[in-house]
Amino acid sequence: MKRIRIFDTTLRDGEQAPGASLTPEEKIRLAHQLAKLGVDVLEPGFPISSPGDFQAVQAISRAVEGVEICGFARSVKGDIDAALKATEDASFRRIHMFLSSSDIHLDFQLRKSREQVIAMARDVVAYAKQFVDRIEFSPMDATRTGEEFLFEMIEAVIAEGATIINIPDTVGYALPDEYAGIFRRVRQSVRGGDTVEYSAHCHNDLGLAVANSLAAISAGVTQVEVTVGGVGERAGNCSLEELAMAIETRKLALQAETGIRSEEIYRTSRMVSRAMHFPIAFNKPIIGRNAFRHEAGIHQDGLLKSRNTYEIMDPEKMGIPRSMIVLGKHSGRHAIRHQIGELGIRLSDTEMESFYSSFKEYADTRKTVTDDELIALAGTAVNRNLDRFALADIQVVSGSNTTRVASATITDNETGSSASYSSVGQGPVEALIGCLKQAMPFPVEFVDLELHSLSAGETAGGQAEIIIEAENQEFTGSAEDKDILFAVARAFVAACNRACRSGIGADAVANGETAADDSVGAPDALLIP
């Protein structure tokens, strides 16, 4: 197997996406996680661009072990000096320089002749070579550069000491066969072309970044430059998780492998999404919400018999919580029985038939059926309450100059009693969750919240999906409502009821106790359009 080195530029090229800026502290935290994920090379930023970026690159160079740290620079000595200074404490490092090569860039951006650009390239590589051995050079916009001039530039920088040649598809223009062909011809035609490493850096403007990167691997490339979730300029970069899992899933066909630890993929993607405030598209391969979820009855039936019927990867091996069944009007009996069983509910065959009929009628009016709706339907079918706790009412008061105040009334369906709780918070979600945590008979940690708009316009409702942790176990709840805060509250209570049905806090529930700790700490919601 050929080992493909993963060069991660989430913290540099990924951060250049509008709105994706990171603080130095966020960069350091993500850098540690990327090292844990198993990337080989880490490009933490652009040191000359700002004092904060310089500090982040310097701190990461000092603190993150086990990966090669790359200092990024334009072909300007001041940039190179900053990159060298920021990375000087790294145990293993390189300098990465870029210079435009296409006539479009030379004429309209650099406004220099080809001869001048070749001289610049020689000069900066020779300058950097005095201080560091590993030098990566990128002829920017290479895929729109005439091959004669591209070969001349690459030959010149190899002669001056460049050790890694990156041929970037800067604007996502190339097709896979074209891109692979460039690498093959460079290796064959350029003097010294067989003495250096080659890297692929692909943008996704035509949706071909992963395909182009795989094509480059077939042409002998041993390093691919990626970002988590494919974040980056315009349509983004080659997606780390898509490339890594394509290689892992088809390693025999590709005769290649990476050092990525797949069990860290989901955690890393969530951390990047949260830090950049970039939502993950529902249909995003590998990490999207729907990537391993199925609504069609035929698919659900096959999956319950054998995962391999409709899934080519095991999500749990990537750290993705198993939630393959999404209930809707296309779902069959097998899937519905499975899902209510997952919620801790058991129905007899007669009860199941009654429930199935009411479910189908209800599902015809919905896009999906959430956990709390499913439990309510099952309870109606069997004429009993299946949840210990029910949300009776909430009130939330917000103001521009005050903390938010919330109150909630919770009904205990076993005793028939109700109690009210109140809390404050910096935001309405924090205040509301503070109330609900007080009502639970066991300590609850609020782990995650996603809010999804269900339609456009001011009448749009919202869907909330919440993850809580109790006794070192995670539980999920979901709910929909025209009032977003009510959806959040119902989803939280649904998750807590799921914990109750699994036996969490059984003694406390039996004794009618509630949590004494009224601390909150709910994370900011991620609003996904």
Side-chain angles (χ1 to χ4, degrees), residues 117-242:
V117 170
I118 293 291
M120 286 176 62
R122 284 186 176 276
D123 185 44
V124 294
V125 172
Y127 177 72
K129 194 69 175 179
Q130 300 175 81
F131 309 103
V132 64
D133 182 62
R134 287 178 63 77
I135 296 176
E136 178 174 340
F137 185 84
S138 296
M140 188 163 66
D141 203 20
T143 56
R144 295 194 297 172
T145 300
E147 286 198 352
E148 181 180 348
F149 181 62
L150 179 65
F151 294 177
E152 183 182 355
M153 178 179 278
I154 292 173
E155 194 170 278
V157 296
I158 291 175
E160 296 297 338
T163 57
I164 304 118
I165 300 299
N166 175 41
I167 301 178
D169 186 20
T170 305
V171 293
Y173 179 73
L175 299 176
D177 286 348
E178 294 172 345
Y179 194 54
I182 293 173
F183 283 100
R184 291 191 180 99
R185 290 189 290 277
V186 165
R187 295 174 66 196
Q188 295 167 359
S189 306
V190 170
R191 278 180 294 184
D194 59 350
T195 66
V196 296
E197 302 171 41
Y198 287 92
S199 181
H201 181 112
C202 299
H203 281 262
N204 205 37
D205 298 70
L206 295 175
L208 295 171
V210 173
N212 282 337
S213 299
L214 292 171
I217 290 171
S218 73
V221 164
T222 55
Q223 175 182 282
V224 180
E225 306 188 6
V226 299
T227 61
V228 175
V231 297
E233 295 275 7
R234 305 179 311 281
N237 293 53
C238 176
S239 167
L240 183 154
E241 63 281 356
E242 292 180 32

Side-chain angles (χ1 to χ4, degrees), residues 15-38:
E15 193 199 17
Q16 290 176 194
S21 293
L22 300 167
T23 66
E25 293 74 22
E26 288 171 330
K27 283 198 172 192
I28 294 166
R29 185 169 64 253
L30 290 173
H32 281 289
Q33 178 60 28
L34 289 164
K36 189 176 181 181
L37 176 65

Side-chain angles (χ1 to χ4, degrees), residues 229 241-242 266 269-270 273-274 278-295 320 323 326 367-368 370 449-455 461-465 478-480 526-529:
E241 63 281 356
E242 292 180 32
Y266 183 70
S269 68
R270 301 286 287 186
S273 173
R274 288 287 184 250
F278 268 31
I280 300 170
F282 280 13
N283 63 334
K284 178 74 169 67
I286 315 300
I287 58 173
R289 184 183 181 193
N290 289 346
F292 297 98
R293 290 184 176 183
H294 310 263
E295 186 191 338
I320 301 172
S323 56
V326 175
K367 289 185 179 292
T368 60
T370 62
L449 164 64
E450 285 189 1
L451 287 175
H452 307 284
S453 176
L454 297 178
S455 61
Q463 183 186 78
E465 186 166 302
S478 60
E480 295 178 5
L526 176 61
L527 183 60
I528 299 181

Side-chain angles (χ1 to χ4, degrees), residues 130-461:
Q130 300 175 81
F131 309 103
V132 64
D133 182 62
R134 287 178 63 77
I135 296 176
E136 178 174 340
F137 185 84
S138 296
M140 188 163 66
D141 203 20
T143 56
R144 295 194 297 172
T145 300
E147 286 198 352
E148 181 180 348
F149 181 62
L150 179 65
F151 294 177
E152 183 182 355
M153 178 179 278
I154 292 173
E155 194 170 278
V157 296
I158 291 175
E160 296 297 338
T163 57
I164 304 118
I165 300 299
N166 175 41
I167 301 178
D169 186 20
T170 305
V171 293
Y173 179 73
L175 299 176
D177 286 348
E178 294 172 345
Y179 194 54
I182 293 173
F183 283 100
R184 291 191 180 99
R185 290 189 290 277
V186 165
R187 295 174 66 196
Q188 295 167 359
S189 306
V190 170
R191 278 180 294 184
D194 59 350
T195 66
V196 296
E197 302 171 41
Y198 287 92
S199 181
H201 181 112
C202 299
H203 281 262
N204 205 37
D205 298 70
L206 295 175
L208 295 171
V210 173
N212 282 337
S213 299
L214 292 171
I217 290 171
S218 73
V221 164
T222 55
Q223 175 182 282
V224 180
E225 306 188 6
V226 299
T227 61
V228 175
V231 297
E233 295 275 7
R234 305 179 311 281
N237 293 53
C238 176
S239 167
L240 183 154
E241 63 281 356
E242 292 180 32
L243 180 82
M245 292 313 299
I247 293 173
E248 175 64 23
T249 304
R250 302 304 310 277
K251 65 168 59 176
L252 294 178
L254 295 168
Q255 284 296 295
E257 61 185 359
T258 73
I260 293 297
R261 301 180 184 96
S262 57
E263 67 272 15
E264 294 293 332
I265 285 176
Y266 183 70
R267 173 177 169 78
T268 308
S269 68
R270 301 286 287 186
M271 287 178 65
V272 170
S273 173
R274 288 287 184 250
M276 291 185 171
H277 298 290
F278 268 31
I280 300 170
F282 280 13
N283 63 334
K284 178 74 169 67
I286 315 300
I287 58 173
R289 184 183 181 193
N290 289 346
F292 297 98
R293 290 184 176 183
H294 310 263
E295 186 191 338
I298 293 173
H299 286 225
Q300 292 174 342
D301 182 67
L303 284 161
L304 291 171
K305 292 171 180 173
S306 173
R307 181 188 60 79
N308 293 327
T309 52
Y310 291 101
E311 289 183 353
I312 60 173
M313 295 167 281
D314 185 349
E316 291 173 311
K317 290 184 177 179
M318 292 176 277
I320 301 172
R322 166 57 76 186
S323 56
M324 65 183 179
I325 301 299
V326 175
L327 295 182
K329 66 179 182 181
H330 302 111
S331 300
R333 286 178 175 81
H334 192 184
I336 295 169
R337 185 183 290 275
H338 169 84
Q339 193 70 356
I340 61 174
E342 288 289 296
L343 294 171
I345 300 168
R346 300 291 181 267
L347 300 180
S348 68
D349 290 343
T350 302
E351 290 173 333
M352 181 63 196
E353 284 305 310
S354 173
F355 168 60
Y356 181 73
S357 297
S358 61
F359 172 89
K360 279 293 189 177
E361 184 176 341
Y362 183 79
D364 258 338
T365 67
R366 316 288 291 177
K367 289 185 179 292
T368 60
V369 178
T370 62
D371 292 345
D372 70 325
E373 291 170 332
L374 183 66
I375 294 166
L377 285 170
T380 300
V382 300
N383 197 29
R384 66 177 185 271
N385 287 315
L386 299 176
D387 275 335
R388 175 67 191 258
F389 300 103
L391 184 67
D393 184 48
I394 64 168
Q395 299 287 333
V396 180
V397 179
S398 294
S400 58
N401 297 316
T402 63
T403 56
R404 279 59 177 169
V405 180
S407 64
T409 301
I410 300 293
T411 298
D412 183 334
N413 286 324
E414 289 194 10
T415 65
S417 62
S418 295
S420 296
Y421 307 87
S422 62
S423 183
V424 298
Q426 293 299 306
V429 171
E430 184 181 19
L432 181 57
I433 296 303
C435 301
L436 301 176
K437 289 173 73 173
Q438 293 175 54
M440 293 304 114
F442 46 85
V444 180
E445 181 183 346
F446 194 112
V447 176
D448 196 20
L449 164 64
E450 285 189 1
L451 287 175
H452 307 284
S453 176
L454 297 178
S455 61
E458 64 272 14
T459 61

